[in-house]
Structure formats: structure tokens, C-alpha cells
Amino acid sequence: MKKLKLGIPKGSLQESTVRLFKKAGFNISVSSRSYFPSIDDPEVECMLIRAQEMARYVEDGVLDAGLTGKDWVRENRADVKEVTGLVYSKQGLGKVKWVLAVKNDSKIKSVKDLKGKRIATEAVNLTKDYLKKNKVNAEVEFSWGATEAKLPDLADAIVEITETGSSLRANNLRVIDTVIESTTRFIANNKSWNDSWKKKKIEQITMLLQGAIAAEEKVGLMMNIRKKDLSKVLKLLPALQKPTISQLSDKKWVAINTIIDEVLVKELIPKLKESGASGIVEFPLNKIIS
């Protein structure tokens, strides 16, 4: 049987990735003692790889495909096929940023002030590219971790990844600029992408993952409504497309099925009830496939 070797990011993205795959219809079981999670798809073989290394192993063909950040694809200078972007992170839906930061009391106000200074970061190539773009000559050194703690004694500035900025604020740091914004990418080995079976399998998986992301923070609503009240109810409903309207056995009534943002529900349902809707049912969604 043909198999697709798929890299699952180990570390901060692991939990959210496994959860996303579950919504997409794949059950991945991770053991604390193994780097080879099981998945309920006999055509897929998973391996846990740190996001920082994923692009390199996909480029080399050790893996057919994998999930990692756009930042690490750029950092590794990896020649891979970027199949699609998947906007999710360890704390939910959204992007992460690599930012240039200094101590609050630092005299450094802009990237131009870093000429001849030292910058500590895990993303050396990203930082060098940023400095080159801004025509600034500075020393960039690799940081093995605890990068925030290196200011101000071991470095003049840092380039660090952040999602909410809370860690930077807690360490009394000030953001000068954003180096790069990044989202998760589903990447593929170029040779694997040119294999018709593997390409089709990758496209099927990405379609389901995108559908699961599209369903995040949305719910379905079903309700019954008298035809005479239909226009009032339709004006209240924001929908991806026009709501589905079905005739009920009682010719005076119809059923409506639609999708809305979950945050709107608490205000919308009372208004629907006031406008004549009955039998209102809210239900969760796993996937929305366009």
C-alpha cells in the first residue's frame, strides 16, 4: 500500500495541530514515548518533528509533507512546495510575529540605531534578511533560548517570536518593529508533489484541514418560520451564502438552515424568536467546504 509520510510539528503547535486534524476527520494518537503517532488513515504515516526542522526534512525527502510556519521555511532557505496557508496557532486562530525588541529604557528607537550592535535570536537568517532590507550592518548571534533574558548585558536587541506580546511585556521589553508575520504552512517535497497519488492525497488532507479552520468560531442554526414572517427573519440573518429554505408539510411554514459567527448567537436568537421563528436549534460545525 502506498503511504504518505507526514510531519506533525512537535512542541507548541502539536496540541492545536492534533485538535485541528480531529476536526478534519483524522484521529491522531500521540504517545509520550514515541515520535511516531498513530493515525486512523492507513495511507498516512506520521512523525513528530520540531517545526524549526520540518522544512529541511521535507526538502530532503525524509518526509513527503509536513506542517510548519512560513517563518521556518524562510529561515531554513528550504526549497519546498508551499501547498497552502493554514491560519491557526498554539493559542487559536491567528498569526505569530517575529519582532525586534529592546529594553524599555534602551536608547535604541529604530532599526537604524542598531548599526554595529549585537542582536540575539533563534531566527538568524530572518534577522539578517531584515537588516539587509533596511541597509543596517549589525552582528547577529544565535540564541539557544531564554532570549529575552539576554538584554541588556549579552545583547543590545533581540528578535523574538510572539503571539500576544505578554511575555515581552512581562520582561519589560519594547517592540521596535515587526520583522515578519507568519502563519502555519502545509508544505510538500517537490518530488512528492509531482507524484500524482501523493499530490492527490495531500490535496485531500489540506481541503479537510481548511474546512475545519473555516468552521472555527461558526455555528449552524436551524429554525421554523411562517411564510408571512420569512422576510423579517431573512433580514436578520448574516450568512455565508443565502440561507437554505425548505418547505414543511404545513404549506404555511418553512424551515431555514444557515451558518453564522458564534459570537452573534446570543443577540440573534432572541431577535429571531421575536420575529416569529420557532424550534430554533444551534449546532456546532466541524468543517465548511466551499
Side-chain angles (χ1 to χ4, degrees), residues 17-32:
T17 300
V18 171
R19 186 169 58 249
L20 177 62
F21 267 80
K22 184 173 180 61
K23 285 198 69 175
F26 302 93
N27 289 301
I28 297 176
S29 179
V30 180
S31 168
S32 60

Side-chain angles (χ1 to χ4, degrees), residues 71-101:
D71 48 356
W72 293 116
V73 175
R74 302 290 187 273
E75 174 67 17
N76 285 285
R77 307 281 199 255
D79 180 16
V80 294
K81 171 66 179 179
E82 292 189 33
V83 180
T84 189
L86 300 169
V87 184
Y88 77 99
S89 57
K90 66 181 180 180
Q91 295 187 18
L93 301 178
K95 299 178 180 180
V96 296
K97 297 187 293 185
W98 285 88
V99 297
L100 176 65

Side-chain angles (χ1 to χ4, degrees), residues 221-273:
L221 277 184
M222 296 188 300
M223 69 202 78
N224 298 329
I225 189 76
R226 290 184 181 88
K227 284 184 177 179
K228 67 182 182 67
D229 297 322
L230 183 58
S231 61
K232 289 190 297 182
V233 168
L234 291 179
K235 289 178 181 178
L236 294 171
L237 293 176
L240 294 178
Q241 305 292 336
K242 291 183 178 179
T244 301
I245 302 173
S246 306
Q247 179 65 57
L248 297 179
S249 57
D250 185 334
K251 299 300 182 182
K252 295 180 181 180
W253 288 75
V254 293
I256 296 178
N257 197 325
T258 191
I259 294 170
I260 66 168
D261 292 332
E262 187 176 13
V263 69
L264 301 176
V265 169
K266 63 181 180 294
E267 294 182 1
L268 182 58
I269 287 181
K271 292 178 181 178
L272 291 171
K273 184 69 175 174

Side-chain angles (χ1 to χ4, degrees), residues 168-184:
L168 296 174
R169 290 189 295 271
N171 283 278
N172 197 31
L173 302 184
R174 169 168 49 88
V175 174
I176 292 177
D177 196 9
T178 297
V179 174
I180 187 176
E181 287 189 342
S182 179
T183 57
T184 305

